[in-house]
Amino acid sequence: MALADPVCGISNGAESASPFNEIVELNVGGQVYLTRHTTLTAVPDSLLWHMFSKKTPKELARDSKGRYFLDRDGFLFRYILDYLRDLNLVLPDYFPEKSRLLREAEFFQLRDLSKLLSPKMSKDNSITDEICQSDSEELSTQSATPLVGQDPSRALSAVSIAHSPSLESKKSGYITVGYRGSYTIGRDIQTDAKFRRVARITVCGKTSLAKEVFGDTLNESRDPDRPPERYTSRYYLKYNFLEQAFDKLSEFGFHMSACSSTGTCAYFSNDPNEDKTWTSYTEYVFCRE
C-alpha cells in the first residue's frame, strides 16, 4: 500500500511508476503553487520535465515545509503553469513584462513558448507592437544602417519605433509617491541632529503605470493580483531613496504637480530635556499628460 506524502500532496497509488505524488506542491520564489504532476511534465525535454521525470524527490531542493523549491520569479511562474496546462499562451491586455516572461520561458526550456514571446516581424519587415523591451536596443542597431535597396525612411521609422515607448506606455495618468520619515533634534546645547530616516516609500495609482515606471523595484506583496487597469494604494518600493523614485518618474515623462506634508513632534520620555523626535508624512503627486 502506497502512503501519501503529508507535505507534498496526494499519492499516485501503487499502480504508478512515478516516485512523485499526483498533486505536487511548489515554492517558486516564495509563491506557493499546487498542480498535477502531469502538468509539470507536459512538455518533453523541458526543465520541469527533466526534474519531475528523470530525478527522484530526494534529488530536488525543498523548503522548510517540504515543498519543492525553485528560485525563480514567483509572480511570472503563474503564466508558465497556465501554458503547461493546455499549451496555450494567454496574457492580459496590458502586459509590460513580456521580456521577463521570455527569460523565464527560456530558463524552463519551453521552446514553443519562447517563440510565442519573441518579437514578431510584420510583412514589411517592421517590428510589430508586441516587441519586447529588451530587444529594442538590438533592433535600433540593426536598423540604423539601411540595407542595400531598402527605403531609408522605413529604416528610420523602425528606429523610432524601437526607441519610442509603446502606445500603452504613453497613457496619461497620476502616480502619488508618499513617505513617512523621522528625524531627531537635540537639545539647544547640541549642534548635531540625526538626519531623517525613511521607513517606507509608498506608491499609489493605476497598477499598469506603477509597474511601467518602477518595474522590479516595485514590491507587490501586499496586493499581488491587482489587474492592470485597477487602482491600488498598497504598493511600496524596495529601496529607501526618495530621489531615486523621482529619477524614475522623470525618466518616464512624469512631472510633479502637487505635494503636501504633515509633521508631529514627540519625546522619547516625559523628560523635556530629552531629544525631540519629529515624524512627518509627505505625498508627492506626479502627472503625465
Side-chain angles (χ1 to χ4, degrees), residues 266-279:
Y267 293 97
F268 283 119
S269 68
N270 295 327
D271 186 355
N273 293 322
E274 291 294 329
D275 293 346
K276 297 178 182 179
T277 300
W278 289 83
T279 61

Side-chain angles (χ1 to χ4, degrees), residues 200-205 207 218-224 226 231-237:
R200 179 168 288 176
I201 301 176
T202 60
V203 175
C204 309
T207 300
L218 189 70
N219 195 321
E220 308 172 45
S221 60
R222 294 189 300 172
D223 204 357
R226 178 68 58 172
Y231 290 85
T232 182
S233 61
R234 297 174 59 83
Y235 288 167
Y236 62 93
L237 301 181

Side-chain angles (χ1 to χ4, degrees), residues 168-284:
E168 288 289 343
S169 66
K170 291 182 179 179
K171 292 171 58 178
S172 60
Y174 291 86
I175 291 180
T176 300
V177 175
Y179 81 92
R180 180 172 287 102
S182 64
Y183 59 93
T184 300
I185 297 180
R187 296 182 295 276
D188 294 339
I189 60 174
Q190 293 179 326
T191 58
D192 295 331
K194 296 179 180 178
F195 289 97
R196 72 178 184 185
R197 181 180 64 86
V198 178
R200 179 168 288 176
I201 301 176
T202 60
V203 175
C204 309
K206 188 173 288 187
T207 300
S208 58
L209 290 178
K211 290 184 178 180
E212 175 195 345
V213 173
F214 296 109
D216 294 339
T217 63
L218 189 70
N219 195 321
E220 308 172 45
S221 60
R222 294 189 300 172
D223 204 357
D225 299 318
R226 178 68 58 172
E229 297 307 313
R230 296 289 297 276
Y231 290 85
T232 182
S233 61
R234 297 174 59 83
Y235 288 167
Y236 62 93
L237 301 181
K238 297 179 181 179
Y239 51 80
N240 292 329
F241 297 100
L242 192 61
E243 293 75 14
Q244 189 173 350
F246 292 170
D247 288 342
K248 295 293 292 184
L249 286 160
S250 177
E251 179 183 343
F252 282 84
F254 283 84
H255 302 277
M256 186 185 301
S257 58
C259 67
S260 63
S261 180
T262 60
T264 60
C265 177
Y267 293 97
F268 283 119
S269 68
N270 295 327
D271 186 355
N273 293 322
E274 291 294 329
D275 293 346
K276 297 178 182 179
T277 300
W278 289 83
T279 61
S280 64
Y281 179 73
T282 307
E283 285 188 341
Y284 300 90

